[in-house]
């Protein structure tokens, strides 16, 4: 099956800093979503972005499908950004999402 | 607000004692999914329903069953929980189940097995 790897696995930031999270995938995809899992376990949709660039406030994401990677940018980080960030991909012929390994982000005041 | 609701949020059961987790949705989506997420791991799909059609993942243990009595509700039954079944169980929905659909997740039920 498709492999989805995220880097870095762990990231500690000072509040106000910027960061870039990366998601690499091993095959062509038709679906790519970024999620934030908060400390209580809730998975929150950030972006649906199988290709191109999107922005939502302090967050933006870019997927370069031909090169099989996606980037999530977090600017001016806040303590509430802490949690685990997952990218998940979907392929034609499969109904489920394959989740990456996750990046655990800790933002310290 | 339309949403995916899971009850209970925390469930404690004893080794071998059957347990049922509940998921409901007000989104009127056709597809409902159950994922298992063990500590420090990514969520893993157990099965999903497209309307009333049940689709089991090949490596989902027989110990796990599911029911969808109507569009709004879906249940996860664990017939004889073992210690290895302790995990967060996440319910998700999508409109059509197509590969390009966005999936929306509930808050999860954290299961502890004593």
């Amino acid at each position: 099956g498709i492999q989805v790897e995220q880097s870095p696995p762990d990231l500690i930031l000072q509040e106000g800093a910027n960061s870039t999270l990366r998601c690499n995938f091993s095959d062509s995809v038709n679906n790519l979503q970024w999620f934030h899992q908060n400390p209580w376990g809730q998975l929150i949709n950030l972006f649906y972005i199988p290709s191109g660039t999107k922005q939502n406030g302090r967050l933006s994401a870019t997927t370069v499908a031909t090169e099989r990677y996606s980037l999530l940018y977090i600017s001016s980080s806040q303590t509430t950004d802490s949690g685990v960030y997952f990218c998940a991909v979907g392929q034609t012929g499969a109904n489920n999402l394959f989740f990456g390994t996750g990046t655990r982000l800790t933002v310290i005041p | 607000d339309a949403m995916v609701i899971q009850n209970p949020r925390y469930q404690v059961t004893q080794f071998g004692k059957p347990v049922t987790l509940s998921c409901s949705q007000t989104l009127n989506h056709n597809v409902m999914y159950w994922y298992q997420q063990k500590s420090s791991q990514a969520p893993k799909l157990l099965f999903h329903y497209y309307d009333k059609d049940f689709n089991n993942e090949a490596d989902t243990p027989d110990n796990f069953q599911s029911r969808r009595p109507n569009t709004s509700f879906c249940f996860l039954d664990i017939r004889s929980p073992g210690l290895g079944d302790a995990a967060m169980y996440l319910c998700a929905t999508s409109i059509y189940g197509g590969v390009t659909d966005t999936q929306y997740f509930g808050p999860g039920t954290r299961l502890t097995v004593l």
Side-chain angles (χ1 to χ4, degrees), chain B residues 80-99:
Chain B
S80 182
L83 298 179
D85 297 326
M88 173 74 89
Y89 290 88
L90 296 161
C91 174
T93 72
S94 69
I95 296 177
Y96 301 116
V99 67

Side-chain angles (χ1 to χ4, degrees), chain A residues 65-92:
Chain A
T66 53
E67 297 186 22
R68 300 182 184 168
Y69 73 89
S70 183
L71 302 173
L72 177 69
Y73 305 96
I74 304 174
S75 63
S76 304
S77 59
Q78 302 175 357
T79 55
T80 50
D81 295 331
S82 296
V84 182
Y85 289 81
F86 287 103
C87 77
V89 302
Q91 295 182 290
T92 300

Side-chain angles (χ1 to χ4, degrees), chain A residues 17-70:
Chain A
N18 303 329
S19 62
T20 300
L21 282 56
R22 186 176 180 102
C23 171
N24 291 330
F25 41 96
S26 61
D27 202 353
S28 301
V29 300
N30 302 96
N31 185 344
L32 189 145
Q33 294 181 232
W34 281 99
F35 294 92
H36 174 218
Q37 189 166 40
N38 65 26
W40 297 271
Q42 171 93 55
L43 273 169
I44 298 165
N45 273 297
L46 298 176
F47 294 103
Y48 169 79
I49 187 165
S51 63
T53 297
K54 290 186 178 180
Q55 180 157 4
N56 184 4
R58 295 181 298 103
L59 302 181
S60 64
T62 295
T63 297
V64 183
T66 53
E67 297 186 22
R68 300 182 184 168
Y69 73 89
S70 183

Side-chain angles (χ1 to χ4, degrees), chain A residues 30-31 33 35 37 40-43 45 48 86 90-92 94-97 99-100 104, chain B residues 9 33 35 37 41-43 45 48 57 88 90 97 99-107:
Chain A
N30 302 96
N31 185 344
Q33 294 181 232
F35 294 92
Q37 189 166 40
W40 297 271
Q42 171 93 55
L43 273 169
N45 273 297
Y48 169 79
F86 287 103
Q91 295 182 290
T92 300
N95 289 312
N96 57 299
L97 290 175
F99 280 77
R104 181 174 298 277
Chain B
R9 295 293 308 279
Y33 308 82
Y35 287 84
Q37 185 180 22
Q41 295 183 21
L45 183 68
H48 73 278
E57 292 301 298
M88 173 74 89
L90 296 161
V99 67
T100 56
D101 268 6
T102 300
Q103 290 190 20
Y104 298 90
F105 283 78

